[in-house]
Amino acid sequence: MEIQGQQMTEPKAGPGLFKRNPPIAGEAEAIERAKAGDGEAFSKLYALHKRRVYTLCLRMLGNVSEAEDMTQEAFLHLFRKIGSFRGESAFSTWLHRLTVNLVLMHLRKKGLQLVSLEETINPSEEDAPKRDFGSRDVQLSGSVDRVALERAVASLPPGYRMVFVLHDVEGFEHNEIATMLECSTGNSKSQLHKARLKLRELLRQPEPMISGEMKETAL
Amino acid sequence: MTSHNEKNDSPMTCAEFQEHLPELFAAGSEGAMDDPKLLEHLKTCENCSALVRDLQYIADQARQLLEPTHDPSDNVWEKIKNSMAAEAPTPDLEKI
Ligand SMILES: [Zn+2]
């Protein structure tokens, strides 16, 4: 369990991550001022990043009150640790990694065994994505809008959703996800694949079929 | 979809092809398809090529979700502010 130590490390951002997290105007200055204890600068950082941090928490946790609690935790953690930010990766990348680790710790405390993620979230055989895709009546390409995708993602089993959000949405690499989830990179890759298969299945269904009552709030 | 009998030079089945998919996607574009049998299957099997196209499409679309649409309620910032003030009472923080 290296969460504590790892939380504040700053692996070099790959070009992909950098593209996802371009620098924000005025951010660097606000970071420097916040490091020096400037409260106004910290509130600016909060304003700049609250949406993405909160949305990330919401997607990982699936409910508003926990997501708000973890958003609060994340920014308090930031407040305490901002001095250790060295600018080796994009600030948002760093902040998101911190947030993900806090959320995962929270889930572990709640008793979710992330180590045995594979078992806990592996769907039963009948639920498993089918290997053979017979009907090809629906072409996904070009047909999926943001709302439909968001809904489908929200209805994924939690373990699938976690890996999908971390990899495909947030842009983390499999080795980072494996470390965060304490699983193998092989696990991470296969969970991601299963998540995408499940999404494909969900997205090919006619709209109302997408798993009953989606929590609007989790979208 | 693909049926075959011989062991060695037989074409790959869909199931065999799909077993490689998690690794293939993870490898990205670099050298992903260096196995000619995989490439051959992908080129000749409509089923699997549609699957690969869809999964790639889903992965690409996921980036749309990076733009967040939801804000935390105002009392989240209130709580953060209060906790910060309690932890590090500096005159500066009162201005927030
Ligand atoms: Zn095939």
Side-chain angles (χ1 to χ4, degrees):
Chain A
M1 178 100 169
E2 293 168 75
I3 286 293
Q4 286 296 359
Q6 176 217 339
Q7 206 150 278
M8 289 301 147
T9 56
E10 296 177 39
K12 301 268 183 299
L17 270 182
F18 198 69
K19 217 187 290 165
R20 282 163 186 267
N21 294 312
I24 302 167
E27 185 191 67
E29 196 204 340
I31 293 168
E32 284 316 308
R33 279 169 42 218
K35 277 184 181 178
D38 182 335
E40 227 170 294
F42 192 85
S43 99
K44 176 169 186 180
L45 289 178
Y46 178 77
L48 287 174
H49 292 280
K50 63 178 177 178
R51 276 191 151 196
R52 271 192 63 186
V53 167
Y54 175 66
T55 306
L56 174 58
C57 291
L58 198 52
R59 291 208 180 105
M60 289 176 80
L61 292 158
N63 88 73
V64 170
S65 86
E66 271 184 294
E68 291 201 338
D69 285 351
M70 291 316 295
T71 301
Q72 185 189 333
E73 278 306 305
F75 281 94
L76 279 175
H77 211 86
L78 174 67
F79 175 67
R80 297 176 197 128
K81 303 282 181 168
I82 193 164
S84 68
F85 176 68
R86 305 258 172 266
E88 287 155 21
S89 60
F91 179 71
S92 52
T93 306
W94 183 77
L95 176 58
H96 294 179
R97 188 173 288 117
L98 175 160
T99 305
V100 168
N101 282 323
L102 286 173
V103 170
L104 292 175
M105 265 195 282
H106 166 77
L107 289 174
R108 286 194 184 94
K109 265 188 223 148
K110 274 179 66 184
L112 180 65
Q113 294 296 309
L114 292 167
V115 187
S116 56
L117 190 68
E118 191 83 355
E119 281 83 46
T120 53
I121 63 175
N122 253 358
S124 55
E125 273 310 311
E126 73 222 276
D127 197 25
K130 287 166 197 64
R131 247 163 209 291
D132 217 12
F133 296 86
S135 63
R136 298 186 39 262
D137 40 334
V138 189
Q139 255 279 22
L140 273 193
S141 299
S143 68
V144 176
D145 65 20
R146 187 202 156 97
V147 176
L149 181 60
E150 182 101 63
R151 238 181 240 158
V153 170
S155 73
L156 286 174
Y160 285 3
R161 195 176 66 219
M162 191 75 76
V163 177
F164 182 81
V165 167
L166 293 178
H167 189 280
D168 282 359
V169 180
E170 290 288 324
F172 288 105
E173 304 287 343
H174 282 296
N175 56 359
E176 293 179 276
I177 295 169
T179 312
M180 293 189 287
L181 296 182
E182 297 175 348
C183 67
S184 67
T185 54
N187 271 3
S188 173
K189 288 172 192 172
S190 83
Q191 292 295 340
L192 176 66
H193 186 63
K194 287 176 196 163
R196 289 173 179 164
L197 285 173
K198 186 76 191 163
L199 284 174
R200 183 187 194 234
E201 193 186 308
L202 291 166
L203 291 167
R204 280 158 59 115
Q205 286 167 2
E207 196 72 10
M209 295 288 289
I210 293 183
S211 188
E213 165 222 348
M214 289 313 329
K215 283 164 273 175
E216 257 315 302
T217 50
L219 303 181
Chain B
M1 177 138 277
T2 336
S3 64
H4 61 92
N5 315 311
E6 294 120 280
K7 271 193 177 161
N8 283 329
D9 292 325
S10 55
M12 201 168 236
T13 63
C14 291
E16 283 166 348
F17 176 81
Q18 288 173 26
E19 256 167 49
H20 286 87
L21 281 180
E23 278 300 329
L24 286 176
F25 275 107
S29 45
E30 313 128 29
M33 285 287 174
D34 47 8
D35 184 340
K37 276 181 130 186
L38 290 171
L39 202 54
E40 184 57 26
H41 186 88
L42 186 66
K43 273 200 275 187
T44 53
C45 178
E46 243 182 275
N47 202 23
C48 289
S49 64
L51 174 64
V52 167
R53 220 175 20 244
D54 279 356
L55 297 181
Q56 188 57 55
Y57 175 71
I58 288 169
D60 292 342
Q61 293 304 99
R63 249 161 272 175
Q64 293 181 10
L65 300 186
L66 197 58
E67 272 319 305
T69 45
H70 287 65
D71 279 315
S73 65
D74 291 343
N75 81 49
V76 173
W77 175 241
E78 284 304 312
K79 287 186 193 162
I80 293 171
K81 222 167 56 174
N82 293 340
S83 302
M84 288 194 315
E87 280 184 30
T90 67
D92 221 16
L93 280 171
E94 284 157 28
K95 287 194 299 193
I96 315 175

